[in-house]
Amino acid sequence: MQRGLASVAVSEAMNGNTPVLLHLLKTKLGWSEQHQIEISGEVRSVVSSKPLTKEEFIQRYLDKE
């Protein structure tokens, strides 16, 4: 029975049945709509959730002594 259903599914896909084609691609050929993103590099700064006071900002970024 499964072989008959598979034949029907392949025939439908070959005749332009897009949902069946997508189903076969995902279940039998391992296709996926998920993307994997890899980010590489080095961390050069750390972001803090604590806001700086005006004095801390001046001392850190504007004083060049």
Side-chain angles (χ1 to χ4, degrees):
M1 172 119 180
Q2 284 184 351
R3 182 171 274 193
L5 289 175
S7 295
V8 170
V10 170
S11 178
E12 283 292 312
M14 297 302 283
N15 287 328
N17 188 329
T18 303
V20 172
L21 176 60
L22 291 174
H23 174 74
L24 290 174
L25 290 171
K26 292 176 185 178
T27 59
K28 300 300 179 188
L29 297 177
W31 284 31
S32 173
E33 294 179 15
Q34 296 178 349
H35 300 281
Q36 183 175 355
I37 299 173
E38 182 177 319
I39 300 172
S40 61
E42 64 183 68
V43 176
R44 294 182 176 219
S45 64
V46 176
V47 177
S48 172
S49 61
K50 176 185 169 264
L52 297 175
T53 65
K54 181 179 178 181
E55 292 76 23
E56 289 172 325
F57 181 85
I58 291 170
Q59 181 182 13
R60 184 173 294 174
Y61 297 109
L62 300 179
D63 283 347
K64 299 293 180 182
E65 295 179 36

